[in-house]
Amino acid sequence: MSSANTPSVRRVVAQHAARRDDIGDLVTRRPLPGPGLDQLDPFLFLNHHGPQTYPPNNQGLPFGPHPHRGFETVTFILEGSLAHADSAKHQSVIHAGGVQWMTAGSGIVHAEISPEEFLRDGGPLEILQLWVNLPSRLKMSEPRYVGLQEDGIPAVPLAGGGTLNLIAGEWQGQSGPIESLTGVFMSTLALPADTREQLPVAPGRQVFLYVVSGEVTVGGEPVKAHHLIEVDRDGDHLTIEAASDARLLFGHGEVIDEPVYSHGPFVMTTRDEIVQAVEDYQNGKFGGLDA
């Protein structure tokens, strides 16, 4: 019989396959939303672009100017590079290993395209984009943006031999460079073959775990690459073992437990707020962007 102080492992509830949904010549997989899983509160959406190699003189990424309201986007550049510009006058080019964290809040127009060098020279590309919901009290926050290169993200050695790249939240006394509005923890994991890691997570927090590549087990259960791994919320840690070199997206956050009304690039808590978002965008209240 275990005591209250004995660590309890999070168990796998389900594995959600990323479905192919290519955008032009951009290889795209999406595990969330998917069949049987509309959201993993507070996590709303994940696109996995690539991996693929672009030839010289290519058209690059197709994400020209478009609006958002009511949530945050977190973009992980695993390979290649990404140019960002938005109506709040933020601009950057982030390279492999870097991250972009954008709070759309009350409304922003942004573009995510390939920089000129990538269009000219081509090369490998792999990008993840995650949407994180905001509670109703924060949906109209002022838009903000942080772009981080790889050297701005702490690479924390783990006890089993892996590495945790700390983006937001606290880990072993270190703080990630992003201060999340809602206390979301966010990281990427690099696990060499034959490593075993025990990762603490406070009970009740929703884990977001996506296997980008590699063969791993979670809580003793084999899980598949290109799958979102849903775990229970009762335990206080995750146990992950890697049979091959593996890369994972690992985050967790407090459950918001509010209605979610989404319409394309807008995510609010009521239908009326969606109608207002569309009207505000059409009336130019999000600002403009030439890109």
Side-chain angles (χ1 to χ4, degrees):
M1 186 173 181
S2 63
S3 72
N5 295 323
T6 302
S8 56
V9 67
R10 299 277 189 118
R11 299 297 180 185
V12 173
V13 173
Q15 300 187 47
H16 303 279
R19 294 192 161 197
R20 281 290 291 267
D21 187 15
D22 293 356
I23 303 169
D25 60 359
L26 178 62
V27 173
T28 300
R29 297 177 176 87
R30 183 177 307 114
L32 185 72
L37 189 67
D38 291 333
Q39 63 167 324
L40 199 60
D41 187 3
F43 306 103
L44 299 169
F45 173 99
L46 180 68
N47 260 357
H48 182 178
H49 303 300
Q52 66 192 103
T53 300
Y54 275 73
N57 303 311
N58 62 83
Q59 298 299 307
L61 293 168
F63 306 117
H66 58 279
H68 289 301
R69 173 180 278 183
F71 62 101
E72 300 184 287
T73 66
V74 188
T75 308
F76 308 81
I77 298 87
L78 305 182
E79 295 287 346
S81 55
L82 180 62
H84 169 96
D86 64 46
S87 55
K89 309 307 180 187
H90 304 114
Q91 287 191 329
S92 67
V93 175
I94 304 299
H95 301 283
V99 171
Q100 298 180 147
W101 193 300
M102 186 183 78
T103 303
S106 61
I108 199 167
V109 176
H110 78 146
E112 298 164 298
I113 59 176
S114 299
E116 290 296 328
E117 315 87 79
F118 189 88
L119 297 176
R120 182 188 66 230
D121 300 334
L125 181 79
E126 186 171 16
I127 292 174
L128 306 174
Q129 185 170 90
L130 174 67
W131 291 11
V132 183
N133 201 12
L134 290 171
S136 56
R137 64 184 176 84
L138 294 175
K139 283 190 175 293
M140 298 300 284
S141 298
E142 182 178 354
R144 67 177 189 173
Y145 169 84
V146 179
L148 298 169
Q149 304 292 0
E150 183 177 26
D151 60 7
I153 300 171
V156 183
L158 299 174
T163 301
L164 182 145
N165 300 295
L166 180 59
I167 297 160
E170 305 290 325
W171 189 269
Q172 298 177 358
Q174 294 196 56
S175 297
I178 300 294
E179 188 174 341
S180 164
L181 291 178
T182 56
V184 165
F185 174 89
M186 191 56 59
S187 71
T188 60
L189 299 173
L191 305 182
D194 302 319
T195 58
R196 181 181 187 273
E197 303 295 352
Q198 183 170 297
L199 309 174
V201 183
R205 287 176 70 87
Q206 185 80 266
V207 168
F208 191 91
L209 186 67
Y210 177 70
V211 184
V212 179
S213 61
E215 299 178 19
V216 299
T217 63
V218 176
E221 180 171 331
V223 299
K224 299 176 181 178
H226 301 155
H227 280 62
L228 175 63
I229 311 305
E230 184 180 358
V231 301
D232 62 30
R233 300 212 305 265
D234 296 332
D236 59 12
H237 72 276
L238 278 177
T239 299
I240 303 178
E241 298 182 60
S244 66
D245 291 354
R247 177 180 276 179
L248 300 95
L249 176 56
F250 169 52
H252 51 80
E254 294 290 341
V255 174
I256 295 173
D257 194 24
E258 292 180 349
V260 174
Y261 282 79
S262 61
H263 179 72
F266 309 123
V267 182
M268 306 302 289
T269 53
T270 69
R271 183 181 181 280
D272 287 347
E273 289 172 337
I274 291 291
V275 172
Q276 188 65 56
V278 172
E279 182 178 311
D280 288 348
Y281 171 60
Q282 291 175 341
N283 289 334
K285 293 185 178 180
F286 288 20
L289 176 64
D290 297 322

